[in-house]
Amino acid sequence: LLALVLGIFIGHKIAVLPFYLLPYCLIISFIVLVLSQVNRLVVYRKPIFSVSYYFLMFFVGLWIIAVHNPKYNLRHFSHYSATQLIGIIDDEPILKTNTIRFPVRITSRIDSQGSAPVEGRVMVTLLKDTLTSQSLHYGDLIVFKNAIHDAVAPLNPKEFDYKAYLSTKGIGHQCLLTAADYKIIGSNKGNFILK
């Protein structure tokens, strides 16, 4: 557990890691782990097994971070230009005084060439004073203008780090929309148990 947590912690804290080497590190650690059980290595079996297991768990922790990092996911929407995006509302919208906020799981992008499947999540904020009578719910499929930008880090010390908060939910981008910028094109696309 300690090695796994250490891998996750280092993956979060260090921005530049050679993540392309992770599959090789995982495979080598696993092979050494299996080979440590060969009878010829009886004298060193326990220490080799222990060390290779710790390394395997450490690399698994790094891998968990890597697969959720948009920089290393080639299907992430941020790698492509698009005029519009299609996604599913991934949680119940939160109503505030002037806004409605909810995460969207992006499924497709639309550009001049047509549409193509993509992945990723974005936090969408709708201005309440521009809303029509349409009500939004978990599982609604929406198409919206690509006005996405990176989540912004806090400008003042000791201020709440909304960017870090979003990153714990696998979200690195946010978007501000008005009623004219989106349209509901489907419903009940979410997980029926969560609903």
Side-chain angles (χ1 to χ4, degrees):
L1 179 64
L2 184 61
L4 179 69
V5 170
L6 185 64
I8 291 171
F9 179 77
I10 288 175
H12 266 298
K13 293 298 177 189
I14 300 175
V16 181
L17 283 171
F19 281 118
Y20 61 91
L21 294 175
L22 275 180
Y24 303 110
C25 295
L26 284 165
I27 291 168
I28 290 169
S29 299
F30 183 75
I31 289 171
V32 171
L33 187 74
V34 171
L35 289 177
S36 70
Q37 299 304 302
V38 175
N39 285 335
R40 293 180 191 165
L41 301 171
V42 168
V43 179
Y44 302 108
R45 188 183 339 191
K46 254 188 177 172
I48 291 172
F49 178 84
S50 298
V51 170
S52 61
Y53 187 75
Y54 291 140
F55 273 107
L56 180 66
M57 289 295 103
F58 175 76
F59 292 132
V60 166
L62 287 176
W63 182 259
I64 288 169
I65 297 304
V67 298
H68 292 98
N69 190 331
K71 187 168 32 171
Y72 306 107
N73 182 355
L74 297 178
R75 289 179 47 102
H76 197 270
F77 67 85
S78 61
H79 298 298
Y80 304 96
S81 61
T83 55
Q84 293 179 316
L85 296 166
I86 299 173
I88 299 167
I89 296 178
D90 214 18
D91 201 351
E92 275 304 314
I94 297 170
L95 302 172
K96 298 203 172 183
T97 308
N98 299 318
T99 61
I100 297 175
R101 182 172 287 164
F102 51 88
V104 172
R105 182 169 37 90
I106 305 296
T107 58
S108 303
R109 65 183 171 91
I110 301 171
D111 57 17
S112 59
Q113 306 293 322
S115 67
V118 287
E119 297 174 354
R121 295 181 80 212
V122 61
M123 183 62 74
V124 173
T125 303
L126 294 177
L127 296 176
K128 222 179 199 182
D129 58 348
T130 65
L131 291 178
T132 59
S133 60
Q134 282 185 318
S135 59
L136 298 161
H137 304 286
Y138 168 77
D140 285 349
L141 184 67
I142 63 170
V143 58
F144 59 97
K145 182 176 87 172
N146 185 4
I148 291 176
H149 58 85
D150 291 341
V152 180
L155 302 174
N156 300 316
K158 306 292 183 187
E159 186 181 350
F160 176 68
D161 192 347
Y162 189 63
K163 181 177 182 177
Y165 168 76
L166 288 179
S167 72
T168 62
K169 299 180 171 297
I171 301 172
H173 299 81
Q174 52 189 69
C175 178
L176 181 65
L177 301 175
T178 64
D181 296 332
Y182 81 96
K183 184 178 181 183
I184 298 173
I185 57 173
S187 59
N188 296 318
K189 302 292 184 185
N191 184 309
F192 76 96
I193 294 173
L194 289 178
K195 182 180 178 182

